[in-house]
Amino acid sequence: GNSVTQMEGPVTLSEEAFLTINCTYTATGYPSLFWYVQYPGEGLQLLLKATKADDKGSNKGFEATYRKETTSFHLEKGSVQVSDSAVYFCALIMGYSSASKIIFGSGTRLSIRP
Amino acid sequence: SQTIHQWPATLVQPVGSPLSLECTVEGTSNPNLYWYRQAAGRGLQLLFYSVGIGQISSEVPQNLSASRPQDRQFILSSKKLLLSDSGFYLCAWRRLAAQETQYFGPGTRLLVL
């Protein structure tokens, strides 16, 4: 079946460090891919998305490129801030029916030290 | 624009008491609606989803039930809460379009004592 695997956390970095959170997927077709962010005590917010191979999603300095050949969608940011501390979820959705469901990874907690 | 509301934001309930959490969506019609639970420090568990009024699909057997009495209203209920029902409950909606993403509400934090 379809699945998403993300790197285990927590990830702890110093401010202005480079960030990569790995995400790989398994899907029997061509999914759309997403990154969500969850700040403490809040719901999930869509951070960025990519709907086809080689698409790059970007938002708030974060980027992720849909790599079909490696079935990956790694999240990157060149210089993290304390305010980026949150839990990040990679996700995919397959199919066009109303019953299609989003598959989430287990989440990666990111902590940024000042 | 579309917005999603959840009520209440926080709830503390004794074991054995009933539960009713409400989710409403504004600015869209005939959305798919979802209930998730997130235990402390864990990922998301899909509990129920609905593709229309009165249509509920359950993902995991449990102590909870869901109802959709109106197009943009989704309710999560229990007749008797268990300690293990504690967690962060998230409602989400999705447009019925090709591989459209889901949008989440602010969540309800439930503590069962």
Side-chain angles (χ1 to χ4, degrees):
Chain A
N2 302 322
S3 65
V4 175
T5 303
Q6 10 181 158
M7 61 190 291
E8 296 242 351
V11 173
T12 303
L13 295 171
S14 297
E15 206 165 20
E16 299 183 2
F18 184 86
L19 167 71
T20 301
I21 300 179
N22 289 341
C23 171
T24 57
Y25 67 90
T26 301
T28 55
Y30 302 98
S32 289
L33 302 173
F34 310 95
W35 276 101
Y36 284 83
V37 58
Q38 184 180 31
Y39 298 105
E42 298 183 9
L44 276 70
Q45 300 175 28
L46 179 66
L47 180 59
L48 52 86
K49 67 178 181 181
T51 57
K52 61 183 187 296
D54 299 325
D55 267 4
K56 179 186 281 188
S58 61
N59 186 23
K60 299 181 180 179
F62 291 89
E63 292 184 339
T65 301
Y66 189 142
R67 302 281 188 204
K68 180 169 170 285
E69 63 277 12
T70 54
T71 62
S72 65
F73 193 54
H74 304 322
L75 183 68
E76 296 181 336
K77 186 174 185 181
S79 176
V80 292
Q81 306 300 314
V82 171
S83 57
D84 294 325
S85 298
V87 180
Y88 292 82
F89 291 91
C90 186
L92 69 81
I93 190 168
M94 274 295 306
Y96 297 82
S97 77
S98 60
S100 297
K101 288 169 280 188
I102 285 192
I103 309 294
F104 286 92
S106 56
T108 302
R109 183 174 299 276
L110 173 66
S111 294
I112 307 300
R113 294 188 298 254
Chain B
S1 66
Q2 300 82 21
T3 54
I4 178 168
H5 305 279
Q6 287 188 241
W7 185 88
T10 306
L11 191 59
V12 180
Q13 291 283 95
V15 168
S17 64
L19 174 74
S20 181
L21 303 182
E22 185 169 336
C23 171
T24 57
V25 182
E26 296 176 359
T28 188
S29 296
N30 198 26
N32 271 17
L33 295 172
Y34 305 83
W35 277 113
Y36 290 84
R37 176 169 56 207
Q38 187 177 30
R42 305 284 293 276
L44 297 167
Q45 180 185 35
L46 179 62
L47 302 175
F48 301 95
Y49 72 94
S50 170
V51 300
I53 295 174
Q55 300 179 60
I56 307 295
S57 296
S58 174
E59 289 293 296
V60 291
Q62 59 200 307
N63 182 43
L64 302 168
S65 62
S67 62
R68 185 170 176 175
Q70 300 179 45
D71 181 43
R72 287 169 288 179
Q73 185 184 31
F74 204 24
I75 296 172
L76 184 69
S77 304
S78 174
K79 292 182 180 177
K80 285 187 178 182
L81 284 168
L82 306 172
L83 286 173
S84 57
D85 291 324
S86 294
F88 192 46
Y89 288 84
L90 289 160
C91 181
W93 73 275
R94 180 169 80 89
R95 240 187 296 266
L96 295 182
Q99 304 194 151
E100 180 66 56
T101 190
Q102 284 178 194
Y103 299 92
F104 284 81
T108 294
R109 189 163 303 284
L110 172 65
L111 179 61
V112 183
L113 300 175

